[in-house]
Amino acid sequence: MRELQQEIRALAREKKAIILAHNYQPPEIQDVADLTGDSLELSLKAAQTEAEVIVFCGVRFMAETAAIVCPDKLVVFPRPEAGCEMADMITVEDVEALKAKYPKAPVVTYVNSYVEIKAVSDICCTSANSINVVKSLAAKEIIFLPDMNLARYTQRFFPDKKIYFHEGFCPFHDVLTVEEVKKAKEAHPQAVFMAHPECRPEVIDLADAVRSTSGMLRFARESEAREFIVGTEVGLLYPLKKQNPDKEFYPASEKMLCKAMKIISLEDLKRALETLSPVVRVPEDIRKRAYRAVARMLEIPRS
Ligand code: 13P
Ligand code: SF4
């Protein structure tokens, strides 16, 4: 494996490529990447990099976001079939129906969506900045999609606004139940419970911290606590333990496993670098419209 990783690093240098990997990717992919991060960090990095080629290890909407912000770079996505079950839950017709119902409400679209959906949106958000994005809008009524759980979590911070949402969800976060969290807390009474905002509201109610994946990494590093129950996709356990070898991390549920995030192998990555393919292509008219929504999000200050 080490040899393959060294070959990949040499190829990345030769092709002037940067390898970006999401925090849920398999350990060997995270270890060979130039940068790992959450959706917001990876979008920002893609927007700022001077590399000519971006090789994206994550799911399709993430690679698409890189292609939206970098039209003159080559965005290579080793396994195009790696989709996102939440992103699959909404169509442009669904968005148009919500717009017709609430004509004054701007559309806030979670980046976990495909480019066609972003193209009919006003602004994007991620799990790390949904609160700041909604705060940036003067409107009192907002359409939020496709994740109903992130919408309902964000609504908690805006008692004077009404957030209408599409009923999409992530099957690997929505699966976590109150009973499982309570059981994990009983088994680890000293542990702090961190939840991703894609979890159900009643699970969020039990959380000591609600964070994006990189937010959880920061929280665990800075916390005095020694034990953590992790309420997100199990791939995050690897960087958590790597960054905090003296702390203990327990998955809230072993069912929180996103298969699409585990598709890319080192062999796929090597082949993608050798051939600089498959490439993510986004039709230019759709890209331009989606770009407005993504760029508007990227301008929002991080807190
Ligand atoms: P983050 O942006 O928090 O990393 O989340 C991405 C994701 O797909 C969560 O399921
Ligand atoms: Fe999509 Fe859920 Fe997988 Fe994230 S964990 S990529 S939201 S299916």
Side-chain angles (χ1 to χ4, degrees), residues 39 61-62 84 86-88 109-114 118 125-126 146 198:
S39 308
F61 76 78
M62 296 177 176
C84 163
M86 181 199 292
D88 289 339
T109 293
Y110 190 26
V111 287
N112 297 31
S113 55
Y114 294 117
K118 292 184 173 85
C125 76
T126 75
E198 288 177 15

Coordinates of all heavy atoms in Angstrom, one line a residue, residues 39 61-62 84 86-88 109-114 118 125-126 146 198:
S39 N -17.2 19.7 3.4 CA -17.6 20.2 2.1 C -17.2 21.7 1.9 O -16.8 22.0 0.8 CB -19.1 20.1 2.0 OG -19.6 18.8 2.3
F61 N -21.5 15.2 -6.0 CA -21.8 16.6 -5.8 C -20.6 17.5 -5.4 O -20.5 18.6 -5.7 CB -23.0 16.8 -4.9 CG -22.7 16.7 -3.4 CD1 -22.1 17.7 -2.7 CD2 -23.1 15.5 -2.7 CE1 -21.8 17.5 -1.3 CE2 -22.8 15.4 -1.4 CZ -22.2 16.4 -0.7
M62 N -19.7 16.8 -4.7 CA -18.5 17.6 -4.2 C -17.6 17.9 -5.4 O -17.0 19.0 -5.5 CB -17.8 16.7 -3.1 CG -18.6 16.5 -1.9 SD -17.7 15.5 -0.7 CE -18.9 15.6 0.7
C84 N -24.9 10.6 -4.1 CA -25.3 10.9 -2.7 C -26.8 10.6 -2.7 O -27.6 11.2 -3.5 CB -25.0 12.3 -2.4 SG -25.8 13.0 -1.0
M86 N -29.0 11.6 -0.6 CA -29.8 12.8 -0.3 C -29.9 13.6 -1.6 O -31.0 14.1 -1.9 CB -29.1 13.6 0.8 CG -29.9 14.8 1.1 SD -29.0 16.1 1.9 CE -28.7 15.3 3.5
A87 N -28.8 13.8 -2.3 CA -28.9 14.6 -3.5 C -29.9 14.0 -4.5 O -30.5 14.8 -5.3 CB -27.5 14.7 -4.2
D88 N -30.1 12.7 -4.5 CA -31.0 12.1 -5.5 C -32.5 12.3 -5.1 O -33.3 11.9 -5.9 CB -30.8 10.5 -5.4 CG -29.5 10.1 -6.1 OD1 -28.9 10.9 -6.9 OD2 -29.0 9.0 -5.7
T109 N -29.8 26.3 -0.8 CA -29.6 24.9 -1.2 C -28.3 24.4 -0.6 O -27.2 24.9 -0.8 CB -29.6 24.8 -2.7 OG1 -30.9 25.1 -3.2 CG2 -29.2 23.4 -3.2
Y110 N -28.5 23.3 0.2 CA -27.4 22.6 0.8 C -26.5 22.1 -0.4 O -27.1 21.6 -1.4 CB -28.0 21.4 1.6 CG -27.1 20.6 2.5 CD1 -25.9 21.2 3.0 CD2 -27.4 19.3 2.8 CE1 -25.1 20.5 3.9 CE2 -26.6 18.6 3.7 CZ -25.4 19.2 4.2 OH -24.6 18.4 5.0
V111 N -25.2 22.2 -0.2 CA -24.3 21.7 -1.4 C -24.5 20.3 -1.7 O -24.1 19.9 -2.8 CB -22.8 22.0 -1.1 CG1 -22.5 23.5 -1.2 CG2 -22.4 21.4 0.2
N112 N -25.1 19.5 -0.8 CA -25.4 18.1 -1.1 C -26.5 18.0 -2.1 O -27.6 17.5 -1.8 CB -25.7 17.3 0.2 CG -24.6 17.3 1.2 OD1 -23.8 18.2 1.3 ND2 -24.5 16.2 2.0
S113 N -26.3 18.5 -3.3 CA -27.3 18.5 -4.3 C -26.6 18.6 -5.7 O -25.4 19.1 -5.7 CB -28.2 19.8 -4.2 OG -27.4 20.9 -4.1
Y114 N -27.2 18.3 -6.8 CA -26.5 18.3 -8.0 C -26.6 19.7 -8.7 O -27.4 20.5 -8.2 CB -27.1 17.2 -8.9 CG -26.7 15.8 -8.4 CD1 -27.6 14.9 -7.9 CD2 -25.3 15.5 -8.1 CE1 -27.3 13.7 -7.3 CE2 -25.0 14.3 -7.5 CZ -25.9 13.4 -7.1 OH -25.5 12.3 -6.5
K118 N -28.6 23.5 -7.9 CA -27.9 24.7 -7.5 C -28.2 25.8 -8.5 O -28.3 27.0 -8.1 CB -26.4 24.5 -7.5 CG -25.9 23.5 -6.3 CD -24.4 23.4 -6.3 CE -23.9 22.7 -5.1 NZ -23.9 21.2 -5.3
C125 N -25.4 26.5 0.9 CA -24.8 26.4 2.2 C -24.2 25.1 2.4 O -24.5 24.1 1.6 CB -25.9 26.7 3.3 SG -27.0 25.4 3.6
T126 N -23.5 24.9 3.5 CA -23.0 23.6 3.9 C -23.4 23.4 5.4 O -24.0 24.3 6.0 CB -21.5 23.4 3.8 OG1 -20.9 24.1 4.9 CG2 -20.9 24.0 2.5
P146 N -31.9 20.3 0.0 CA -32.9 19.2 0.1 C -33.1 18.6 1.4 O -33.9 17.7 1.6 CB -32.4 18.2 -0.9 CG -30.9 18.3 -0.9 CD -30.6 19.7 -0.5
E198 N -27.3 16.7 10.1 CA -28.2 15.9 9.2 C -29.0 14.9 10.1 O -29.8 14.1 9.5 CB -27.4 15.2 8.2 CG -26.9 16.1 7.1 CD -26.0 15.3 6.1 OE1 -26.0 14.1 6.0 OE2 -25.3 16.0 5.3

